[in-house]
Amino acid sequence: MPELPEVEITARRLDRALTGAQIESALAPGINALKTFDPPLSVLAGQKITGVGRRGKQFVVRVDGPTDPLVLLIHLMSAGRLQLYDKRAGPRDRTSRLLVRFDDGRELRLREFGSKQAAWVKLLRAEELDEDPALATLGPEAWPDPPADLREILNAPRPLHTLLRDQRTIAGIGRSWVDEILWEARLSPYKRGADLDAAESSTLREAIVTTLAIPDKLPMPLRVHRHEGEPCPRCGTTLESVHFESYVIAYCPVCQTDGRTLKDRRLSRLLK
Ligand SMILES: [Zn+2]
């Protein structure tokens, strides 16, 4: 599941590679991932890419457009990938959801793997971008400059693990990086947002900024998420986990929960 660091790095790479590239054609083959119909994808033919960026976990591909500037808004969801190829996909590639072909032969491809078909694309007029529901509901960006006092956005009687993954509360964090952030801040995944004091809030902010910090090419390696059963990188205690239907929380019981181990059933009720 790509989260803010992975999307940011891909967006930077695509921005360098594609700015100025001229589109020959764009199509959304097979299962239609395209969620808009006006303007149609066909207007992209002959237009130039003016930049690639990110909002939350979504890509924003800017195109000059025949009259007004346009934007492709792309969400990979859990199993999508956005990649640039030197050659075009063959007609049998069933993973393709969007193909943007350039006049130099390259192809930007949104592909999706696995059984779910959830990744989506919208072609919008640039002026409509901020009003699109996918962006209008986003909370402040988690990186590089989250709100100075996180208590302003986390002041709710919900566990931090849930709040930090809620894109309406703060944009960009998902089930992988939330474990890293809470471990870095030495906070329990089920501490209530409303219970954060000033010091914890500032530690959490620092942990978000440093954990999501993005080197040039690859995000930092995950050290806690999916590392249950291994020693805590800080104190050596075995990392514990709590399993849910669609995700797993990993944490250090010494660094984060005062030595307590979380029971799956109890926590699943708490997190509702
Ligand atoms: Zn530890």
Side-chain angles (χ1 to χ4, degrees), residues 116-256:
K116 275 191 205 160
Q117 292 175 343
W120 54 255
V121 179
K122 293 179 182 179
L123 179 58
L124 305 166
R125 292 170 187 89
E127 60 184 27
E128 300 167 340
L129 181 66
D130 290 337
E131 297 149 31
D132 188 83
L135 296 190
T137 57
L138 282 185
E141 289 284 334
W143 185 90
D145 189 24
D149 189 347
L150 286 178
R151 290 177 299 174
E152 284 166 18
I153 57 168
L154 299 179
N155 186 19
R158 299 165 69 204
L160 289 175
H161 197 279
T162 311
L163 275 172
L164 292 173
R165 284 183 297 119
D166 185 341
Q167 303 305 298
R168 295 165 300 181
T169 301
I170 184 164
I173 302 168
R175 61 189 73 161
S176 303
W177 289 97
V178 69
D179 282 353
E180 307 298 309
I181 288 165
L182 290 171
W183 177 84
E184 186 67 38
R186 303 184 195 216
L187 287 167
S188 167
Y190 55 88
K191 186 181 185 78
R192 309 282 172 172
D195 294 339
L196 280 179
D197 64 28
E200 288 167 333
S201 165
S202 119
T203 305
L204 179 58
R205 184 184 187 281
E206 187 61 28
I208 291 172
V209 174
T210 57
T211 305
L212 299 181
I214 297 158
D216 240 9
K217 292 199 171 142
L218 291 170
M220 300 202 288
L222 296 167
R223 297 188 290 171
V224 179
H225 185 71
R226 297 216 173 132
H227 287 277
E228 58 267 27
E230 297 173 24
C232 168
R234 184 190 289 126
C235 74
T237 305
T238 302
L239 296 172
E240 298 286 344
S241 61
V242 188
H243 289 255
F244 294 87
E245 205 171 309
S246 60
Y247 64 97
V248 177
I249 296 178
Y251 67 100
C252 171
V254 167
C255 295
Q256 293 176 257

